[in-house]
Amino acid sequence: VPDPGLRRVEVVGMPVRQTITSLDRAALRAAARAEFGFAEDAKVLLAFGDSQGAQSINRAVAGAAEALAAAGVSVLHAHGPKNTLELPQQASDAAPYVAVPYLDRMDLAYAAADLAICRSGAMTVAEVTAVGLPAVYVPLPIGNGEQRLNALPVVAAGGGVLIDDADLSAEFVADTVTGLLTD
């Protein structure tokens, strides 16, 4: 853990709930995928912002829906309770796009997923890292840059990719995210 530059500091970590710290993604994967309607052998992208969603993530992932489906990537997208998504008509059930306002069982979402695209708040980074899920982190573009700092150790260790909110696009999701899932 990097030195925060403060005197008399003890790093104690982030408290993470037991349903996350005890999660065995591999053991729960088949049941979790069945819960969301995905094939057991699907490639699954989990997209979410905070509890209210994230407009830029919503636009980019929904905008890449056709490309993701064409590449055989299924999507579980928690878009936020006040947001809606404009999605193209599903051509087939082979790679479903499941859009929900909110996920109250993040353990199942983490178990179903192969990769997440999400914000990088402290709790999000802690949970995604605790369950061993690789992620594309999109730090919130406001504040003092703390979300970027939250993700940097995970990215440096090879557990994720960082992209600025302003650079996130449907093309990035279609190309880079699909590449990460199908490589």
Side-chain angles (χ1 to χ4, degrees), residues 22 36 38 52 92 105 121 128 143 145 155 166 178-179 182:
S22 65
F36 297 111
F38 301 129
Q52 297 303 308
S92 78
R105 290 287 311 269
V128 170
V155 171
T178 299
T182 59

Side-chain angles (χ1 to χ4, degrees), residues 106-149:
M106 285 304 291
D107 58 330
L108 290 179
Y110 291 147
D114 294 298
L115 177 72
I117 182 167
C118 54
R119 290 289 189 210
S120 51
M123 188 53 73
T124 297
V125 174
E127 284 192 357
V128 170
T129 303
V131 301
L133 182 62
V136 174
Y137 292 108
V138 186
L140 190 66
I142 60 172
N144 63 4
E146 68 275 7
Q147 284 206 0
R148 181 177 195 75
L149 295 174

